[in-house]
Amino acid sequence: MVISRKPIRRAVVGLQWGDEGKGKIVDEFVTEALERNDGKRVVVARYQGGSNAGHTIYVRSASGDLTKFVTHSAPSGLTSGADVAIGPQVAFNPLAFAQELQDAEKTFGYSGRVLVSERTGVLFQYHKDIDLARETGGNGVGSTKQGIGPFYEDNANRVTRIHFADYVSDKFPERLRKVLDLKRRQLEELSLWKDDLADSILAEHEVPRRILRENSVNLEYRMRDYFAGGNHIIIEGAQGTGLDVDMGTLPDITSSHLLAPHAFPSLGLSRKDFEIWGVEKVYPTRVGKGDLPTLANDDFASVAEMAGEMGATTGRRRRVGYPDWLFIRRAVALNDCDAIALTRVDNVQDRNLKVCFAYQVNGFQTVEVPMNLDGVEPVYGRETYSWNLWEGPKDLSDALRVDSELKEKRKALVSSGFNGLPDRLKEFVRSHDAFVGSKTKGVSIGPGRGETIYLE
Ligand code: IMP
Ligand code: MG
């Protein structure tokens, strides 16, 4: 008898400041969907941000070795042959995307479908140049220099936006010249203007425009087709709640709306049909500027080196903080989370974790997260948590250089499930869930695909 199961419909969003491990979780959801082998397609959709994102995925080959793959523009489905969709709120960099597509074809034999909303705005090199000029000229926000801020300014300004449908059509040269006319003064002020700018952009984009021409679609309808056909749909957020343009911790934020509920209307889907998964790293990290209330000034900070906490896009060292459940509780509420995947539980092996439950702001204790974290002091609970997943220290700084004993250990942990985890870790998870108001349904104990314990 064939037991029919419901298709996988999940949205994945970061609950901190990015780098929570969303790429890995999405990759596992895609794998789960593909392994059903039910003749249905699997589509991974991105709904915001651009190549400021960096999703690192470690795929294990048959020999047990890990291969590292990083995507910036494309969603994580490229490593497994899933279809990928780019929503209208994405800052779409066709050069970067075409490159990632080619890399995936070479490395994994990628042969999925690629769908880009005809409404999606195109990000050009001049956006990156403006971003860079601001960052180096002292007017920056500590950005990833991928042109994100300048791109969204042009989008909101409407007349300076170039839609993907126009980009791949014969209208492009004329549209581009018109837009560059409007941007000329700004580019001149930053010494970024060249008289042959339009020609060089046209030349550089000739091939990607041809490659991607077929991919321009009326995405909301195509996503509804996927849905109606009983196919698997995974929505992938980039960055994290603390960086949302309106609801993030001002002023050090990105320029897109990244809360999960924003995804649905832009993709033509309905929130009620999806399970929203928040991804939370057991300890928060931040790159660039911006306050981190629980920033560790003690030995706990060395988790950054021990765990290889370096930006996938910028290579910058990430600052590390103690668990901040007050922040998570708000992120859970804003994203309307149904489940949480807790990541990097192995990276705090043998550490003593204290947990922040409240903030001290101007001498007053509060359980509300203020719009600005400047001067906020954490209030920690009395209880601390410590767990050991294995005996003795292991070098976790480079996920690719893992000894065979550790590989086996991780495998054994996954097969013994949640109940097989150390008691103190289970207590940590239970208190966490009670406080933040959601349920931890995934505990990641290693960087590789399959190294997550899923609970039902
Ligand atoms: P932008 O998005 O490049 O404009 O950068 C704005 C802020 O968001 C900076 O503090 C970046 O470091 C941060 N940021 C943007 N994307 C990511 C990400 O994917 N992970 C972590 N931080 C990010
Ligand atoms: Mg990242």
Side-chain angles (χ1 to χ4, degrees):
M1 188 180 74
V2 180
I3 301 168
S4 71
R5 283 181 291 174
K6 276 199 230 153
I8 294 174
R9 268 58 188 274
R10 294 179 200 147
V12 176
V13 67
L15 297 183
Q16 290 145 323
W17 289 273
D19 309 314
E20 299 92 351
K22 297 176 293 294
K24 175 197 145 129
I25 300 298
V26 168
D27 179 60
E28 287 177 339
F29 289 171
V30 172
T31 308
E32 179 189 341
L34 290 167
E35 281 174 355
R36 287 212 186 160
N37 230 333
D38 54 6
K40 298 295 180 187
R41 299 196 75 87
V42 183
V43 60
V44 187
R46 262 195 75 172
Y47 61 96
Q48 45 70 231
S51 37
N52 49 346
H55 298 299
T56 311
I57 301 156
Y58 295 96
V59 187
R60 200 177 289 292
S61 69
S63 67
D65 291 332
L66 291 179
T67 312
K68 179 174 173 174
F69 192 76
V70 183
T71 68
H72 298 285
S73 280
S76 303
L78 285 186
T79 50
S80 32
D83 297 347
V84 301
I86 304 291
Q89 297 180 321
V90 170
F92 188 66
N93 177 338
L95 300 179
F97 185 86
Q99 184 61 52
E100 282 169 28
L101 206 58
Q102 266 176 19
D103 290 348
E105 277 165 5
K106 250 191 295 174
T107 320
F108 306 100
Y110 180 74
S111 61
R113 282 187 203 148
V114 173
L115 301 92
V116 182
S117 168
E118 54 196 10
R119 295 172 183 269
T120 306
V122 178
L123 183 148
F124 294 97
Q125 181 62 40
Y126 57 79
H127 293 119
K128 292 175 76 166
D129 293 338
I130 296 169
D131 197 358
L132 183 67
R134 288 177 185 168
E135 290 297 323
T136 49
N139 293 318
V141 297
S143 82
T144 60
K145 306 188 180 103
Q146 295 300 310
I148 302 303
F151 166 85
Y152 281 105
E153 290 165 24
D154 279 351
N155 250 25
N157 192 24
R158 296 155 299 181
V159 288
T160 44
R161 176 177 189 163
I162 298 183
H163 293 110
F164 190 69
D166 288 347
Y167 171 78
V168 293
S169 81
D170 297 334
K171 285 191 210 147
F172 178 58
E174 195 194 330
R175 259 314 277 141
L176 179 69
R177 286 182 207 283
K178 183 97 187 284
V179 167
L180 287 180
D181 270 350
L182 293 168
K183 292 201 65 76
R184 179 168 180 158
R185 175 113 58 95
Q186 181 191 23
L187 292 169
E188 277 175 348
E189 274 169 16
L190 295 166
S191 310
L192 296 171
W193 179 261
K194 289 189 201 85
D195 286 334
D196 65 349
L197 189 56
D199 292 329
S200 64
I201 292 174
L202 289 171
E204 199 177 17
H205 285 268
E206 203 187 305
V207 175
R209 282 176 62 220
R210 208 170 37 229
I211 297 176
L212 295 170
R213 182 169 292 226
E214 301 282 286
N215 305 112
S216 175
V217 300
N218 195 348
L219 188 68
E220 60 193 288
Y221 290 95
R222 298 296 76 74
M223 292 305 290
R224 283 206 274 275
D225 293 343
Y226 273 103
F227 186 85
N231 299 294
H232 306 287
I233 304 174
I234 295 150
I235 298 173
E236 176 179 287
Q239 292 83 46
T241 302
L243 293 168
D244 184 87
V245 63
D246 293 320
M247 301 308 284
T249 48
L250 306 176
D252 304 290
I253 48 175
T254 188
S255 303
S256 65
H257 297 279
L258 55 83
L259 302 178
H262 281 295
F264 303 105
S266 75
L267 295 172
L269 299 167
S270 170
R271 189 271 173 262
K272 70 179 189 315
D273 299 316
F274 279 76
E275 186 173 37
I276 297 180
W277 281 66
V279 182
E280 172 189 355
K281 190 154 56 180
V282 97
Y283 52 91
T285 58
R286 260 194 109 158
V287 286
K289 289 204 291 194
D291 298 291
L292 183 62
T294 58
L295 182 73
N297 296 308
D298 54 14
D299 182 56
F300 190 68
S302 66
V303 166
E305 281 75 32
M306 305 277 290
E309 285 284 2
M310 298 299 178
T313 303
T314 57
R316 295 178 294 185
R317 182 185 184 278
R318 299 176 183 144
R319 291 170 286 150
V320 171
Y322 281 99
D324 183 347
W325 292 355
L326 186 68
F327 192 84
I328 298 294
R329 181 162 73 179
R330 171 176 181 264
V332 162
L334 291 178
N335 286 293
D336 197 11
C337 283
D338 299 304
I340 288 181
L342 202 57
T343 62
R344 298 236 195 193
V345 164
D346 56 326
N347 287 149
V348 290
Q349 167 82 359
D350 257 335
R351 303 274 185 165
N352 228 358
L353 293 176
K354 50 185 180 182
V355 176
C356 171
F357 292 97
Y359 291 158
Q360 184 95 12
V361 185
N362 299 324
F364 292 99
Q365 192 160 316
T366 175
V367 287
E368 293 184 5
V369 177
M371 68 179 257
N372 186 309
L373 296 179
D374 188 21
V376 167
E377 293 293 333
V379 179
Y380 291 105
R382 224 170 311 147
E383 210 165 333
T384 61
Y385 298 85
S386 182
W387 54 78
N388 291 304
L389 297 172
W390 52 77
E391 288 300 315
K394 294 271 185 207
D395 180 8
L396 303 176
S397 60
D398 180 354
L400 299 177
R401 270 196 0 249
V402 165
D403 65 35
S404 55
E405 198 190 334
L406 180 53
K407 263 187 229 169
E408 288 309 312
K409 185 69 217 179
R410 282 174 167 153
K411 216 188 260 177
L413 279 167
V414 171
S415 44
S416 55
F418 186 74
N419 284 330
L421 290 173
D423 287 342
R424 208 51 193 146
L425 173 52
K426 284 186 281 192
E427 283 156 22
F428 178 87
V429 169
R430 287 190 197 110
S431 313
H432 166 275
D433 291 2
F435 185 81
V436 307
S438 188
K439 182 156 172 44
T440 298
K441 290 194 182 176
V443 179
S444 167
I445 48 98
R449 182 186 286 172
E451 291 176 339
T452 306
I453 296 161
Y454 286 102
L455 296 80
E456 215 22 77

